[in-house]
Amino acid sequence: MANKPSIPKGTRDFGPSEMAKRNYIFDTIKQVYQLYGFQQIETPAMETLQTLMGKYGEEGDKLLFKVLNSGDFLSKYSEEELSTLKAQNPNKVAAQLCEKGLRYDLTVPFARYVVMHREELQLPFKRYQMQPVWRADRPQKGRYREFWQFDGDIVGSDSLLNEVELMQIIDTVFTRFGVRVQIKINNRKILTGIAEVIGAADKIVDITVAIDKLDKIGLDNVNQELREDGLTEEQIEKLQPIISLEGTNDEKLDTIADVLKDSETGLKGVEELRYILDTLSGKNSPLSALHSQLEFDLTLARGLNYYTGAIFEVKALDVQIGSITGGGRYDNLTGIFGMPGISGVGISFGVDRIYDVLNALDCYPKDATNGTQLLFINFGEKETAYCLPIVAKARQAGIRTEIFPDSSKMKKQMSYANAKQIPFVALAGENEIAQGKLTLKNMETGEQSLVTPEELIDSVL
C-alpha cells in the first residue's frame, strides 16, 4: 500500500476558501500601497548565496535554506572527499556544494534588484512586492518555514516623511481589516547611543539582539545573555533603567534624551523619532489621528543588522501571536552590492500571521469569501442550449456564474449549490422556456420567482 502523501513541516496547503481569504488580504494591502504611489516588482525564489550570506547576522545565516548544485554534482566527490567536507565548517561545505539559496526575506533581494537596475529606476523608488520566503526555523504556532511577505520600500530618499507614510499605510491596512493593533517604534541610533554611554560601543549588535528578546525570554535571561556576550555587571546595571522606561511617548523621549546627552548619535535618533511621533500625532501638521496605538518601545531592537534608523513592529491587540508587521530604515543596504549611499526604509506585512489573526477574529467581510453567486441547473441538452446565452449575459454583468455540467438528478445539483454556499439557483424547464423566462430560487430564504433574463440579472446584482 502506498504511503499517505504529506507536506514538509512548517508549510501549508490552502484550499479555495482559504485562498479567497488570502486574496482579500493581498488585495487590501495592494490597494493601500497603490494609494501611496508604490509599484510592484518580483524577484526569483532563489538568490545566489553570495547575495544572501552575511546579510542577516549569524543567526539568520543559519536559517537559510541552501540549494544543492543541480544534477549529479556530488558524484565527482569520492567518499574520502565527502568525509573531509563533512568535518569542515558547515558554511564552507555549503559554499562548495551550494551556490544558491531560497530567499530569506524580500529586502535583500530588493537591494540587489536596485543595484542591478539602477539606471532604469526613478529615485525615490517606491516598490511593493508580495512573494513567499523560506526560513529553516523550528515550526510552531504562527511561525512557518514557508510563508508570504508583503513588503513596501522607499529607496533614494532620506526624508522622514517616508517613515510617516509607512506608519499611515500600516494604520490604514489594519483599519480596513478591522483589527486593533499597536505599532511599536524605536530608533537604532538611540540603541547605539545607549551602547556608547555605558561604555560598550563595540557590543551594539549583542545588546540589540539580546534586548529584542525581552518579551520572549524575560529580563533575567536577557541579562544572562548580555553577560555571555561579554558585558560587565556595571554595564548591565546601567542598562536596567533604560530598558524599563515608562511613561508617555513624550516622557520617555525626554528621559532618554537626558540619558544620551553626551552621545551625538543617540540624540540624532531621539530627534528623528520625535519628528515621526509628533507628525503622526498632529503636532507638526493637521493629520488625522491614527486608529492604531503608537508606542515608543526602547526594547524594540529587531535582530537584523542592517537597520540604522527608525524601526517598527506591529502586534495585534486581541490575538496572542508574534509580530504581524515590521521594518525600518537602512541607510546603506545597497552598499553591500557595490553601490553605497542609497538610503531606504521599508515595512513587511506577515501575510500568514495576518491570515491567522483575521481567522481568529472572524474579520472577513462576507463578500470577500463568496465564490459563485448563481448556478444554472442542467435539465438536458435543450434546456442547456436555452440557458447558455443567459449564463453569458450574467457573466458579462459581473455575476460569478456556473452551469452544472451534467444533467444529474436535481438533488445532486442542489446539494452542489448548498455545499458551495451559492446564494441563487436558476432553473429553466419546458414551462419556463415556453414563456422565455426562468425560475430563480433564493437559497437562503427558499423563495422562488418567475423572472425574465433581465430581471434575473437585476435580482442577483
Side-chain angles (χ1 to χ4, degrees), residues 198-213:
I198 69 168
D202 60 326
K203 297 289 186 180
I204 176 59
V205 173
D206 295 327
I207 292 171
T208 55
V209 168
I211 67 174
D212 191 29
K213 300 175 183 177

Side-chain angles (χ1 to χ4, degrees), residues 19-199:
M19 283 310 304
K21 294 177 179 180
R22 289 170 69 80
N23 284 332
Y24 164 69
I25 295 172
F26 292 139
D27 291 344
T28 300
I29 300 174
K30 183 188 300 186
Q31 289 165 8
V32 175
Y33 274 137
Q34 290 173 347
L35 281 176
Y36 286 78
F38 285 69
Q39 297 174 292
Q40 185 175 10
I41 69 164
E42 287 192 353
T43 58
M46 290 186 294
E47 296 278 351
T48 66
L49 283 181
Q50 183 180 1
T51 294
L52 297 173
M53 293 291 287
K55 312 305 189 301
Y56 308 106
E58 186 177 344
E59 290 186 20
D61 282 351
K62 292 176 182 177
L63 300 181
L64 287 173
F65 274 112
K66 300 173 180 66
V67 180
L68 186 68
N69 290 338
S70 56
D72 59 348
F73 181 78
L74 290 177
S75 64
K76 67 181 184 181
Y77 286 90
S78 67
E79 289 189 13
E80 183 179 347
E81 288 173 323
L82 286 173
S83 297
T84 301
L85 280 173
K86 290 178 182 177
Q88 292 179 5
N89 181 291
N91 287 336
K92 291 183 179 179
V93 176
Q96 294 185 58
L97 302 183
C98 308
E99 297 172 353
K100 301 171 289 295
L102 295 178
R103 59 173 171 251
Y104 177 94
D105 71 352
L106 298 179
T107 303
V108 168
F110 173 55
R112 189 266 309 153
Y113 175 92
V114 171
V115 172
M116 289 184 65
H117 298 271
R118 172 64 187 91
E119 298 304 317
E120 308 161 28
L121 301 178
Q122 176 63 52
L123 298 182
F125 178 52
K126 304 169 83 170
R127 87 71 159 97
Y128 71 86
Q129 185 175 353
M130 56 175 187
Q131 290 184 274
V133 300
W134 295 268
R135 297 182 185 178
D137 211 345
R138 184 172 65 85
Q140 53 186 288
K141 180 177 173 57
R143 188 182 293 272
Y144 307 99
R145 286 176 171 166
E146 178 188 62
F147 57 97
W148 281 70
Q149 289 185 337
F150 203 150
D151 285 14
D153 287 82
I154 307 165
V155 295
S157 170
D158 296 325
S159 173
L160 293 173
L161 283 176
N162 297 319
E163 278 86 339
V164 170
E165 283 203 346
L166 289 175
M167 296 302 94
Q168 291 173 313
I169 286 172
I170 290 171
D171 182 66
T172 302
V173 165
F174 287 106
T175 298
R176 290 190 178 190
F177 285 148
V179 174
R180 297 191 317 123
V181 299
Q182 181 182 67
I183 304 172
K184 293 178 177 290
I185 184 170
N186 195 8
N187 193 297
R188 287 299 287 260
K189 292 184 179 72
I190 292 176
L191 296 171
T192 300
I194 291 170
E196 289 177 359
V197 299
I198 69 168

Side-chain angles (χ1 to χ4, degrees), residues 259-311:
V259 171
L260 300 178
K261 60 181 180 291
D262 295 325
S263 169
E264 182 179 350
T265 300
L267 290 177
K268 178 63 174 173
V270 172
E271 177 188 344
E272 291 177 359
L273 193 51
R274 196 184 295 278
Y275 174 85
I276 296 168
L277 292 170
D278 285 352
T279 303
L280 289 169
S281 67
K283 290 183 181 179
N284 292 339
S285 63
L287 283 175
S288 298
L290 297 184
H291 295 85
S292 310
Q293 293 183 15
L294 189 60
E295 180 189 358
F296 167 36
D297 184 353
L298 194 60
T299 67
L300 175 62
R302 298 194 60 78
L304 301 181
N305 291 337
Y306 49 68
Y307 292 125
T308 56
I311 45 179

